[in-house]
């Protein structure tokens, strides 16, 4: 596990998986899985459908701003530059 992934895993809801960290958020009508990958220093958003077994990648411009801000705050707390959240792959 890398240092940034370990730091994220200490925050509420985040789980570490070797070189990546993942957190799940549920809003009023939508559920998301957010992943940070340290090797590529990027954040991916997945919209979770139905019973939670299906997730599709979504563009960050479709993700609610409060959720994106929460992810950026988590990155800062883990010592990661929050600008990676806005990075286009």
């Amino acid at each position: 596990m890398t240092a940034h992934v370990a730091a994220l895993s200490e925050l509420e809801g985040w789980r570490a998986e070797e070189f990546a960290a993942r957190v799940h958020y549920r809003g009023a009508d939508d559920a998301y899985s957010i992943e940070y990958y340290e090797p590529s220093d990027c954040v991916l958003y997945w919209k979770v459908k139905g019973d939670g077994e299906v997730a599709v990648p979504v563009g960050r411009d479709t993700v609610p701003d409060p959720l994106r801000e929460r992810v950026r705050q988590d990155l800062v707390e883990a010592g990661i530059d929050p600008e990676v959240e806005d990075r286009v792959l």
Side-chain angles (χ1 to χ4, degrees):
M1 181 180 331
T2 62
H4 286 142
V5 169
L8 279 172
S9 72
E10 294 177 11
L11 301 178
E12 183 179 346
W14 286 88
R15 294 181 313 170
E17 297 177 7
E18 295 182 27
F19 58 86
R22 175 181 298 141
V23 67
H24 298 277
Y25 289 112
R26 182 172 303 279
D29 297 320
D30 296 317
Y32 290 90
S33 177
I34 298 94
E35 298 172 337
Y36 168 76
Y37 292 91
E38 187 156 3
S40 55
D41 203 26
C42 67
V43 173
L44 297 179
Y45 289 93
W46 299 78
K47 192 165 190 178
V48 180
K49 300 287 190 177
D51 61 2
E53 293 297 317
V54 176
V56 295
V58 294
R60 59 190 37 79
D61 59 331
T62 67
V63 176
D65 287 337
L67 175 54
R68 290 187 64 195
E69 183 56 35
R70 168 69 190 273
V71 169
R72 292 171 71 84
Q73 289 174 1
D74 286 352
L75 293 173
V76 168
E77 287 184 39
I80 302 167
D81 181 354
E83 294 302 312
V84 304
E85 185 274 337
D86 198 34
R87 192 168 165 211
V88 178
L89 301 178

